[in-house]
Every structure is written in structure tokens, then in C-alpha cells.
Amino acid sequence: MTELKRTPLFNEYAELGGKPIDFGGWALPVQFSSIAEEHEAVRTGAGLFDVSHMGEFTVQGACAGDFLQSLLTNDIAKMKVGKAQYNIMCYPDGGTVDDLIVYKRAEDDYFICVNAANIDKDFAWMEAHKPAEVVLENCSDKIGQVALQGPLAISVLQKLTATDLSAIPFFGFRDGVSVDGVSCTIARTGYTGEDGFELYAASEEIAHVWRAILDVGRDDGVIPCGLGARDTLRFEACLPLYGQELSPAISPVEAGVGFAVKTEIDADFIGKSVLKSYKTTGAPRKMVGIEMTGRGIPRHGYPVFVGDEPVGIITTGTQVPLTKRNIGMSIIKTAFAEIDQVVSVEIRGKKIPAVVVATPFYKRERR
């Protein structure tokens, strides 16, 4: 049996109540206290996540930007130094290799965060397409990452640094920020639907950052959070998860992240022709919100029907911890994607009534 990989924060879990499980080959905690408590902490205060399992690459060289533009769907040419950009990497048929974040450090220097399960696949894909003059490095083992998320994130983290965090815009970042003496890259990004920060540091120093944030945030109610709350939070905000809302069989246009697919730019990228046709004439399927009107919780993989016709499948579903709504996201035939469309979800052999509803299920108040 293959031994599970551990993040640099693995030894912190036990004393905080975290019990690791196998998550894509990594030993990671589902929760420290409870999913509901952690979900509420992020929505009302702040929560701290270990996301050191995520992958990090650097892309450098005189044509690094052109190389990334040939692979990614967003407009790399528009990026400014100090800004981040959400991006999709696609196959020629428009299916998704991965979704990722690109950070522009200099005109010829980019930093990329990719999904943990796709590190090897993504690196091989990029390596196979890069020109000789581009230097591509997988630095995932050298870097740890934590995410402090929630409305109190900025006030808590500000206690640990002299850098004015309010000056970092949404999807902006700063390198070399001292956080309680540790040099970090701080990005105003996240995966919860709340304001907050993702902090990158050397793997041997990330535990110090983790402990410092929990210590300084204790009086503000900052608590450690696990995979469970991370999933319910991102789902409630309708942020896609690779392997569920995005996959080799689901294009970014179908998944509802077409805003990151810039088919109008002059530059070509892999999958552009298919994605352009989807944006021009419409994709055959669409990601929608589903709310149960009958008793039952939609789960990943459950089929969706209109009458007796199978029209889609649930990609993610749950009962949301705070509102107790039984909701799901579903990739369904576009003809049945209108709001208020009556559908049913097959749960344990029975078709339970549901309806197509507006998304996102949650949108934070701008403070």
C-alpha cells in the first residue's frame, strides 16, 4: 500500500483535533471541530486552512508569457506585474486539463498554483508544449501554503506584518512580505467566497506562519479548518472543483467559468476553436444550480431527469451547514437550464422533485 503524502503541517493536526484521511493520496483532515462550526467561522469571522498539498510551478524566460498564452484560456497579455489571474488549461477538444492561478512576478517570470491531484499531469502537459528557451520548474515540494479566509482575515493578519494589507487589491499579491519574521508571498485570493489571503512560504517555515496566525487570531475566534468546510464554502459560492465541475469531459464554458475564456483575443491557445464555437452558438450543456423541493440531498453522480428523460448529472451536492438548503450543482442539457425548470434527482432509486435555481448560492456582502 502506498504511503500517504504529508504536508509540512501534518504534525500540527493532532493537537488541534484534526484526523487525517486519504484525500487524493494526501493525509489531510476533513475537520478539526465540525464542518458546520468551521463553515460559520469563515462566513462570520475567519478560518485558517492548510493548502500545502497544492502544486506550484515557476515559468521563466523571455517568451514565458507567450508560452502561457498558448496553453491558457485567459488573456495573459493583459496581466500586470503584481496581479494574479484565474485560468483554465484545456485539451484540443475543449475539455479541461486543470484550472489554476497565474501570478505575474516580472515580465519574464510567472508563478502558478495548480490543483494537488493534477501536479504531475499538469507539469507533463506544460513540459510537452514548452519551447526550449522557457524554464519550467516544479517547486511544489519546496513551498507550503495556508489560506486565511473570512471578513476578519485582513485585521488578523495585519497584526503580524508591517506591510499594508489593505493596499493589496483583489487578485493582487506581494512577494517578500514578512509575516512574524517569515518571508511570504501574500495573495488576496481564496476558494471560499470570502475576502482573505493565501500565503506561500518555504515548506520548512510554513508551520511557524500557521501557528502565528492561530495565536494572534485566537481572541478573534480564528480556528483551523479542514477539507469539509473548504468544500461546503466553495460549493456555496459556486466555485468549481476539478474532477466535479471541471474535467476532461467538461469544458470551462459548460462549467460556467467562460469569463476566463477569452476567445476574442488574437493569440491562439489549445482548445480555442471549440470553446469559441461554444461561446458563439452555445454549448450543448450548462452548469446550473438545483434545489430540492422534495426530501433528499443531491450528491455527486446522481442523475437528473425531466420527466423520464435523463438530462444531466449532479456534480456537487450537499445540505449547506448554515441555511440547511438541500442544493446541488448539475451539468445538464442547455435546453433544460432555465431558472425554475422543474426536474427530478434520482436518489436511491427514487426520483425526487427539484427545481433549477439561480447561482451562486451565496455571495458575500462588500464591506
Side-chain angles (χ1 to χ4, degrees):
M1 184 176 179
T2 304
E3 186 175 351
L4 297 179
K5 291 177 281 188
R6 298 179 175 184
T7 80
L9 294 173
F10 179 84
N11 292 333
E12 305 292 319
Y13 300 158
E15 65 181 85
L16 295 169
K19 297 180 180 179
I21 63 161
D22 182 349
F23 179 77
W26 289 86
L28 295 168
V30 172
Q31 63 192 48
F32 289 90
S33 50
S34 74
I35 293 173
E37 181 181 346
E38 293 164 21
H39 184 109
E40 183 174 12
V42 174
R43 288 283 180 252
T44 60
L48 185 65
F49 299 82
D50 176 18
V51 283
S52 298
H53 60 300
M54 300 292 280
E56 294 86 17
F57 304 158
T58 56
V59 181
Q60 298 170 319
C63 61
D66 291 339
F67 163 60
L68 289 175
Q69 188 66 86
S70 72
L71 292 182
L72 304 177
T73 63
N74 213 329
D75 192 353
I76 296 292
K78 286 183 64 176
M79 291 191 71
K80 296 180 179 179
V81 173
K83 291 289 286 184
Q85 188 184 74
Y86 178 67
N87 250 295
I88 319 290
M89 191 157 57
C90 288
Y91 294 106
D93 65 359
T96 306
V97 179
D98 201 6
D99 66 330
L100 49 89
I101 303 288
V102 178
Y103 302 88
K104 186 171 183 177
R105 287 176 157 168
E107 289 303 323
D108 58 355
D109 187 356
Y110 297 83
F111 177 76
I112 298 177
C113 180
V114 304
N115 284 299
N118 293 336
I119 294 173
D120 293 340
K121 179 187 72 173
D122 288 359
F123 191 79
W125 181 261
M126 296 177 74
E127 185 72 31
H129 290 88
K130 80 172 187 67
E133 56 268 33
V134 167
V135 178
L136 173 65
E137 181 186 357
N138 180 357
C139 49
S140 304
D141 291 340
K142 302 175 184 177
I143 296 174
Q145 183 190 163
V146 297
L148 180 63
Q149 301 283 294
L152 296 184
I154 188 168
S155 60
V156 169
L157 190 57
Q158 191 64 74
K159 298 174 185 178
L160 295 172
T161 181
T163 298
D164 181 7
L165 299 178
S166 67
I168 303 177
F170 180 60
F171 263 66
F173 72 97
R174 299 287 185 275
D175 282 322
V177 177
S178 177
V179 177
D180 201 42
V182 175
S183 180
C184 297
T185 292
I186 296 183
R188 200 158 191 173
T189 51
Y191 193 50
T192 62
E194 294 294 339
D195 192 12
F197 300 90
E198 293 175 313
L199 297 87
Y200 301 87
S203 57
E204 63 270 18
E205 295 186 295
I206 198 67
H208 179 91
V209 176
W210 168 270
R211 289 191 292 266
I213 293 173
L214 289 178
D215 286 345
V216 79
R218 186 171 291 110
D219 290 343
D220 293 302
V222 176
I223 60 173
C225 301
L227 295 171
R230 189 167 186 254
D231 191 51
T232 58
L233 289 159
R234 72 90 196 162
F235 162 70
E236 195 177 41
C238 291
L239 301 175
L241 174 64
Y242 187 86
Q244 294 184 209
E245 284 72 45
L246 288 165
S247 74
I250 303 176
S251 75
V253 175
E254 293 172 307
V257 288
F259 66 87
V261 179
K262 300 299 195 297
T263 57
E264 70 277 10
I265 63 177
D266 291 334
D268 199 12
F269 54 81
I270 296 174
K272 181 180 179 180
S273 60
V274 175
L275 297 173
K276 187 172 185 177
S277 71
Y278 284 174
K279 296 196 81 172
T280 302
T281 61
R285 300 176 300 171
K286 186 176 181 180
M287 195 69 63
V288 299
I290 298 283
E291 182 160 12
M292 304 303 298
T293 54
R295 294 187 64 179
I297 299 175
R299 301 292 188 188
H300 173 71
Y302 287 5
V304 178
F305 292 82
V306 172
D308 292 327
E309 179 183 355
V311 298
I313 195 166
I314 299 294
T315 57
T316 302
T318 192
Q319 183 180 84
V320 178
L322 298 187
T323 65
K324 303 303 180 183
R325 295 172 69 191
N326 293 338
I327 50 179
M329 294 172 71
S330 173
I331 183 81
I332 69 172
K333 294 178 181 179
T334 301
F336 303 101
E338 293 296 321
I339 302 297
D340 295 328
Q341 168 71 54
V342 174
V343 298
S344 61
V345 179
E346 187 176 289
I347 302 176
R348 291 185 292 276
K350 295 182 179 180
K351 292 187 177 74
I352 309 298
V355 65
V356 174
V357 294
T359 56
F361 303 121
Y362 169 84
K363 192 172 184 179
R364 72 182 175 94
E365 294 180 10
R366 301 286 175 172
R367 293 173 172 84

